[in-house]
């Protein structure tokens, strides 16, 4: 057994880390990301950085060779996204890593090359339009309709939680093309809807922690070339990338960030010496450290299993449950050390507000990316061979 | 033994519910959020109904009730996420001064609180992490007058308060001093918190003050303030948990996925059942500490207050995250009321210093045999 990254993998990680620090996370960009309405991207500096990321080859790096990429393996792919997120860069994981390659594989030739080059060059963002007000966990019940009209499709419906749609160029949309609701997931088709289409609109949703949107489709007419994959063949395109997505939600760097920053603060300032010497503070740090080490290994192991050709389904589900619940627990363990300073906002905030924001963002991970109950059912059935329950 | 509310307590509960239901509507709460999470009109209504003086003596216009009865009102403040400084004004800042009510300045401050003409607060923290108790603020005496100088931080209701007490030292001797927030030497600055509630930092520059106590008794006042804060927080937290669970139960009964109500999934139902158990543990801890602080006090109040603080931090953390979780996206949407409860939950959890420090204090009390 060798549980370490190879020398090449380690060098790769270093390279990404340095690139992120020196090229991407400039003071100008950090200042832009501190503004709530563009904190996920979409500001002028964001687009500048995205184009640079594209020009420097980082987006194509993890794409398969046959689709115009560099063919990075799952471990490198994981390291890349992990380091980017750890640096605080709003890496377009879903748009560029999950959806992009699926689009490139199944899109029709009329639009494929143009959109693929936009994605790889950091010029386009694809927001995901799956969830609807009445279809969340039960995605297969979605109702947004796409009807054939000559060479076109006419789309009507509403999506909710369409994150980043406020600055996306396209919506990667799941719509019902077979009106028979009993067909459920067998009646769904994927479309790429340009956000400048007539009849499309988007309003902001302010959540406790992050910004997202509702998108509306009123007689949105798009040519058939914007259909991706077979008619009624959308489901495998939706579920194909889920395991990788789950892992990217709770990647080690993303979760460990709060621990790293808190420890940095405590070690970097003599005022906190007394705290560091306090037994319960040490225990909080120790629990966080021990639990994070497990997350790190689980993430790497899952990526390794996928690299070896496994599906990684059970591992991804287990890691997602563990990582999302750890995210919440860490928010408590670290905030306790600086409580009640951890409640302060704006200019008084500790760690530039990271500690205060952490609580507000915490719960999204336990139901997003497939609710933890559903992940636990996967672990129980596929991992332990238990009979499938309701 | 009797766990029921007295008739009077039930009347008080109804009164509080009625006022709060009228004032804690979604539009008003949204408006309060943009205004430091303080609703001055609601505060006046509570004063007129006599609820601000509920636990204060009749000599200052109060109703002379015990903490048990006050807890009934505090719970309702939580259940309605009321934008008023209940914990600090009605408990932490006011109740520790009751032994000194004969002093004219204390009398005046408590009378102002009770009538709604003013708000009493206390400045227990200074800047940075090591604010609590180890005051650096200094006092100069000139004849019968005292003048305070220093930096105070995170003063609850600090922007609205009329009266404030704090800890300062004259030479090496610590004392508790009361001052008017309108004194020309007081400069206040807004400190926004996660729930939208504003605290204030105060720069004190030769602020005229009255000495309440000094020496040995300072520790007693501070310890009483901590105990009252824990007891009041437990009562408010019980109300918050009730509020969160009511929303989650309603949502999981109505919302369907996979053709069935969310609450019919055993995994969901069990999480809410666990929340219920946490909430009931918290309620008993809250009842225990308020009963002990009331007339029939027996046993260690410090211990009971720390147990209440433990359950407050435990229940708020677990109930808030689980209730958000079973709501899915709806639970974090700022157009749906749950998040306000959750942010207040977090605020109170960390205001108490967080669970680890609470347990350390409780363990220390057990080791020193102060706690049975
Ligand atoms: C900030 C944010 C960003 C998002 N971004 C996107 C996006 O970009 N694109 C997109 O399409 N969607 C997005 N989503 C939506 C997200 O994927 C959904 O919230 C998620 O799928 C859960 O659906 P729901 O919110 O409708 O909750 P529901 O499906 O109503 O579930 C609520 C709860 O019910 C329970 N539950 C549900 N089903 C079961 C079951 N079978 N067994 C046991 N328990 C169950 C779970 O506790 C679950 O947490 C986002 C959501 C948020 C909040």
């Amino acid at each position: 057994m060798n549980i370490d990254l190879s020398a090449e993998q380690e060098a790769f990680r270093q390279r990404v880390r340095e690139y992120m620090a020196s090229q991407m996370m400039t003071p100008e960009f950090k200042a832009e990301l501190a503004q709530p309405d563009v904190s996920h991207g979409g500001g002028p500096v964001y687009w500048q950085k995205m184009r640079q990321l594209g020009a420097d080859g980082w987006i194509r790096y993890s794409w398969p060779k046959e689709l115009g990429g560099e063919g990075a393996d799952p471990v490198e792919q994981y390291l890349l996204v992990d380091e980017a997120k750890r640096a605080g860069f709003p890496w377009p994981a879903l748009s560029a890593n999950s959806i992009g390659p699926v689009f490139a594989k199944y899109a029709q030739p009329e639009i494929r090359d143009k959109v693929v080059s936009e994605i790889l060059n950091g010029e386009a963002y694809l927001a995901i339009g799956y969830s609807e007000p009445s279809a969340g966990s039960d995605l297969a019940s979605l109702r947004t309709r796409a009807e054939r009209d000559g060479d076109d499709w006419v789309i009507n419906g509403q999506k909710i939680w369409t994150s980043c749609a406020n600055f996306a160029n396209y919506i990667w949309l799941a719509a019902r093309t077979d009106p028979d609701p009993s067909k459920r997931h067998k009646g769904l088709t994927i479309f790429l809807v340009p956000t400048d289409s007539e009849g499309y609109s988007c309003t902001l949703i302010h959540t406790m922690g992050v910004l997202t949107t509702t998108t509306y489709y009123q007689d949105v007419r798009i040519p058939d070339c914007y259909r991706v994959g077979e008619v009624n063949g959308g489901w495998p395109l939706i579920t194909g990338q889920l395991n990788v997505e789950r892992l990217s939600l709770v990647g080690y760097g993303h979760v460990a960030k709060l621990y790293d920053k808190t420890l940095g603060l405590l070690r970097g300032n003599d005022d906190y010496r007394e705290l560091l010497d306090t037994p319960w503070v040490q225990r909080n740090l120790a629990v966080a450290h021990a639990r994070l080490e497990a997350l790190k290994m689980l993430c790497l192991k899952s990526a390794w299993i996928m690299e070896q050709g496994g599906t990684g389904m059970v591992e991804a589900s287990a890691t997602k449950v563990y990582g999302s619940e750890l995210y919440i627990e860490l928010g408590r363990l670290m905030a306790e050390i600086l409580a009640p300073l951890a409640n302060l906002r704006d200019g008084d905030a500790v760690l530039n507000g990271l500690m205060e924001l952490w609580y507000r963002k915490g719960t999204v991970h336990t139901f997003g990316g497939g609710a933890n109950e559903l992940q636990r059912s996967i672990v129980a059935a596929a991992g332990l061979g238990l009979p499938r329950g309701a | 033994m009797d766990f029921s509310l007295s008739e009077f307590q039930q009347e008080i509960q109804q009164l509080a519910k009625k006022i709060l239901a009228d004032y804690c509507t979604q539009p008003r709460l949204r408006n309060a959020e943009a205004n430091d999470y303080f609703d001055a009109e609601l505060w006046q209504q509570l004063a007129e109904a006599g609820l601000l003086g509920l636990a204060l003596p009749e000599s200052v216009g109060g109703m002379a009730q015990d903490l048990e009865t006050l807890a009934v009102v505090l719970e309702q403040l939580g259940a309605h996420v009321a934008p008023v400084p209940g914990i600090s004004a009605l408990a932490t800042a006011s109740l520790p001064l009751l032994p000194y009510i004969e002093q004219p300045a204390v009398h005046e401050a408590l009378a102002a609180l009770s009538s709604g003409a003013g708000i009493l607060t206390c400045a227990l923290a200074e800047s940075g992490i090591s604010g609590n108790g180890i005051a650096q603020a200094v006092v100069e005496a000139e004849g019968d007058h005292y003048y305070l100088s220093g930096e105070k931080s995170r003063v609850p209701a600090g922007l609205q308060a009329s009266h404030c007490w704090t800890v300062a030292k004259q030479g090496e001797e610590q004392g508790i001093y009361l001052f008017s927030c309108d004194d020309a030497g007081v400069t206040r600055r807004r400190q926004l918190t996660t729930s939208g509630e504003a605290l204030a930092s105060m720069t004190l520059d030769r602020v005229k003050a009255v000495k309440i106590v000094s020496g040995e008794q300072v520790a007693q006042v501070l310890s009483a303030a901590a105990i009252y804060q824990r007891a009041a927080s437990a009562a408010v937290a019980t109300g918050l948990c009730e509020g969160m669970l009511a929303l989650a139960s309603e949502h999981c009964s109505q919302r369907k996925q996979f053709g069935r109500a969310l609450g019919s999934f055993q995994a969901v139902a069990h999480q809410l059942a666990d929340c219920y158990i946490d909430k009931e543990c918290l309620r008993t801890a809250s009842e225990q500490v308020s009963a002990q602080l009331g007339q029939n006090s027996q046993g260690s109040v410090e211990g009971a207050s720390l147990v209440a603080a433990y359950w407050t931090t435990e229940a708020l953390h677990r109930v808030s995250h689980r209730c958000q979780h079973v709501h899915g996206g709806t639970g974090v949407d700022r157009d749906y009321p749950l998040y306000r409860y959750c942010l207040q939950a977090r605020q109170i959890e960390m205001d108490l210093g967080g669970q680890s420090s609470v347990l350390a204090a409780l363990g220390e009390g057990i080791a020193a045999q102060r706690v049975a």
Side-chain angles (χ1 to χ4, degrees):
Chain A
M1 197 161 16
N2 177 3
I3 60 162
D4 290 325
L5 294 178
S6 68
E8 294 79 43
Q9 287 166 334
E10 192 50 62
F12 176 73
R13 191 230 287 276
Q14 271 312 322
R15 195 150 65 84
V16 178
R17 189 172 286 187
E18 276 154 28
Y19 178 81
M20 285 296 150
S22 65
Q23 301 292 306
M24 292 291 115
M25 299 313 291
T26 53
E28 187 191 17
F29 191 31
K30 283 186 183 162
E32 181 177 288
L33 291 174
Q35 299 165 32
D37 283 1
V38 287
S39 61
H40 308 75
V45 189
Y46 170 82
W47 283 118
Q48 216 176 300
K49 294 295 175 192
M50 283 291 288
R51 290 202 170 86
Q52 190 187 340
L53 201 67
D56 292 343
W58 287 110
I59 299 178
R60 63 167 39 81
Y61 196 82
S62 57
W63 280 42
K65 286 214 167 82
E66 61 276 18
L67 298 177
E70 300 282 335
D73 62 47
V75 174
E76 275 188 342
Q77 219 180 105
Y78 166 76
L79 291 174
L80 175 60
V81 177
D82 196 52
E83 284 299 328
K85 286 196 173 182
R86 183 184 199 140
F89 186 84
W91 181 271
L94 293 180
S95 170
N97 296 83
S98 301
I99 303 301
V102 180
F103 170 81
K105 196 162 163 193
Y106 295 99
Q108 301 185 44
E110 291 92 322
I111 63 163
R112 179 169 50 216
D113 292 350
K114 170 175 177 279
V115 176
V116 165
S117 87
E118 285 172 352
I119 298 174
L120 293 180
N121 293 331
E123 291 163 355
Y125 192 99
L126 276 56
I128 300 182
Y130 294 159
S131 305
E132 296 181 3
S134 63
S137 300
D138 184 12
L139 195 56
S141 68
L142 67 84
R143 295 189 200 158
T144 294
R145 283 279 287 133
E147 283 167 299
R148 193 72 200 235
D149 183 24
D151 283 343
D152 296 339
W153 290 89
V154 178
I155 299 171
N156 278 290
Q158 178 190 343
K159 296 287 176 181
I160 193 170
W161 322 116
T162 323
S163 297
C164 305
N166 51 320
F167 64 86
N169 313 65
Y170 303 96
I171 309 296
W172 172 262
L173 185 90
R176 187 160 295 288
T177 38
D178 185 328
D180 179 359
S182 70
K183 290 281 168 51
R184 289 186 47 89
H185 59 275
K186 292 193 182 115
L188 306 182
T189 306
I190 295 288
F191 297 90
L192 195 72
V193 179
T195 51
D196 56 8
S197 306
E198 208 169 305
Y200 165 88
S201 60
C202 161
T203 56
L204 296 181
I205 305 176
H206 294 273
T207 77
M208 240 167 105
V210 299
L211 192 70
T212 177
T213 81
T214 305
T215 49
Y216 304 89
Y217 309 80
Q218 194 179 7
D219 293 326
V220 171
R221 180 175 287 274
I222 49 171
D224 182 59
C225 61
Y226 282 93
R227 169 176 53 83
V228 184
E230 298 298 318
V231 174
N232 297 332
W235 193 251
L237 272 59
I238 295 174
T239 53
Q241 284 290 306
L242 275 183
N243 293 334
V244 180
E245 274 169 42
R246 283 197 179 120
L247 277 185
S248 82
L249 276 179
V250 297
Y252 170 75
H254 172 54
V255 182
K257 188 170 161 190
L258 182 65
Y259 172 79
D260 291 347
K261 297 269 180 194
T262 306
L263 196 57
L265 179 74
L266 295 176
R267 284 180 174 161
N269 189 331
D270 274 351
D271 286 353
Y272 294 123
R273 186 69 246 172
E274 203 182 311
L275 267 183
L276 266 180
D277 289 340
T278 304
W280 69 258
V281 173
Q282 293 173 354
R283 183 175 189 282
N284 277 26
L285 291 169
V287 172
H289 180 78
R291 295 184 65 87
L292 280 167
E293 285 297 295
L295 179 66
K296 180 163 74 184
M297 298 310 287
L298 287 179
C299 285
L300 288 172
K301 199 169 181 178
S302 306
W304 172 80
I305 287 170
M306 291 180 202
E307 185 191 62
Q308 302 297 304
T311 64
M313 179 175 74
V314 176
E315 290 77 10
S317 292
T319 306
K320 194 258 167 180
V321 171
Y322 179 76
S324 60
E325 293 182 357
L326 176 57
Y327 188 98
I328 287 175
E329 210 44 46
L330 262 185
R332 182 189 205 186
L333 288 166
M334 296 300 102
E336 283 182 349
I337 298 175
L338 293 177
L341 297 180
N343 284 337
L344 296 176
R345 274 178 16 196
D346 295 350
D348 294 294
V350 263
L351 296 177
N352 293 319
L354 181 70
M355 202 164 254
E356 190 267 328
L357 181 62
W358 203 269
Y359 171 84
R360 294 192 279 118
K361 282 169 63 173
T363 318
V364 172
H365 303 85
T366 64
F367 61 79
N372 281 3
E373 290 87 341
L374 299 163
Q375 307 312 311
R376 284 188 160 96
S377 292
I378 292 174
V379 173
L384 292 166
L386 291 174
R388 266 179 206 283
Chain B
M1 208 174 334
D2 181 5
F3 280 94
S4 61
L5 294 182
S6 71
E7 233 169 81
F8 178 73
Q9 287 169 336
Q10 289 177 33
E11 278 168 28
I12 289 291
Q13 187 181 49
Q14 288 312 316
L15 178 63
K17 270 189 189 168
K18 186 171 176 326
I19 297 171
L20 291 166
D22 284 350
Y23 279 82
C24 299
T25 58
Q26 295 309 306
R28 280 193 79 92
L29 292 179
R30 192 161 299 134
N31 189 42
E33 244 156 15
N35 292 289
D36 302 326
Y37 215 62
F38 179 71
D39 184 339
E41 270 178 60
L42 170 59
W43 191 249
Q44 277 313 313
Q45 286 297 314
L46 295 170
E48 278 164 34
L51 296 178
L52 301 186
L54 192 62
L56 300 178
E58 284 164 4
S59 65
V60 291
M63 289 207 242
Q65 297 296 312
D66 56 18
L67 203 89
E68 232 180 273
T69 309
L70 178 61
V72 169
V73 173
L74 290 169
E75 180 183 334
Q76 290 308 317
L77 295 182
H80 292 85
V81 273
V84 293
I87 297 171
S88 61
L90 304 187
T92 321
S94 53
L95 302 182
L97 298 191
L98 289 184
Y100 311 100
I101 196 156
E102 299 304 327
Q103 297 185 22
V106 173
H107 191 279
E108 183 207 303
L110 292 175
L113 172 64
S114 160
S115 72
I119 297 179
L120 172 63
T121 187
C122 54
L124 295 175
E126 297 193 341
S127 63
I129 189 73
S130 57
N132 293 312
I134 328 159
Q136 299 302 318
V138 294
V139 186
E140 295 162 77
E142 288 171 19
D144 283 348
H145 298 298
Y146 297 94
Y147 295 92
L148 290 180
S149 295
E151 297 284 341
K152 297 289 169 179
S153 187
R154 308 195 308 275
V155 183
L159 296 177
Q160 300 88 17
S162 57
H163 298 78
C164 179
W165 60 266
T166 191
V167 191
K169 56 187 184 184
Q170 186 186 9
E172 283 310 300
E173 188 177 61
Q174 296 232 323
I176 304 272
Y177 294 86
L178 180 64
F179 60 91
S180 158
C181 299
D182 299 327
D183 187 287
V186 179
T187 310
R188 321 189 214 187
R189 187 178 62 78
R190 172 178 286 99
Q191 291 180 301
L192 265 191
T193 64
T194 194
S195 66
E197 180 190 338
L199 309 175
S201 70
M202 289 186 178
T203 301
L204 308 178
D205 180 17
R206 286 187 51 79
V207 174
K208 196 168 166 197
V210 173
K211 190 201 274 190
I212 311 291
V213 283
S214 59
E216 305 269 287
Q217 282 170 303
V218 170
Q220 282 168 25
V221 174
L222 293 178
S223 151
I227 286 170
Y228 285 122
Q229 183 192 358
R230 291 177 200 132
S233 297
V236 173
T238 306
L240 288 173
C241 288
E242 292 285 0
M244 292 189 278
L245 263 172
L247 287 170
S249 304
E250 170 72 15
H251 181 79
C252 292
S253 302
Q254 301 302 325
R255 168 125 176 127
K256 284 190 176 158
Q257 287 288 277
F258 304 98
R260 28 193 294 206
L262 292 180
S264 72
F265 288 104
Q266 205 170 44
V268 172
H270 285 189
Q271 285 178 73
L272 289 181
D274 282 342
C275 290
Y276 177 92
I277 296 166
D278 282 342
K279 184 251 308 173
E280 284 305 301
C281 290
L282 166 61
R283 179 181 286 287
T284 56
S286 169
E287 286 167 349
Q288 188 179 37
V289 69
S290 14
Q292 287 191 7
L293 280 165
Q295 309 118 350
N296 314 319
S297 130
Q298 270 177 359
S300 148
V301 181
E302 185 199 2
S305 79
L306 286 166
V307 170
Y310 165 78
W311 278 109
T312 301
T313 55
E314 183 74 351
L316 289 179
H317 177 79
R318 300 192 346 154
V319 173
S320 72
H321 279 297
R322 287 213 197 93
C323 285
Q324 286 174 54
H325 173 74
V326 299
H327 270 89
T330 306
V332 297
D333 187 345
R334 285 191 188 247
D335 280 337
Y336 182 84
L338 180 69
Y339 80 95
R340 284 198 193 95
Y341 289 84
C342 298
L343 292 181
Q344 286 227 346
R346 171 71 164 195
Q347 181 107 8
I348 292 176
E349 181 192 353
M350 292 307 155
D351 274 351
L352 285 174
Q355 187 174 89
S356 296
S357 77
V358 166
L359 285 177
L362 182 57
E364 199 189 311
I366 294 169
Q369 301 195 19
R370 288 198 311 276
V371 176

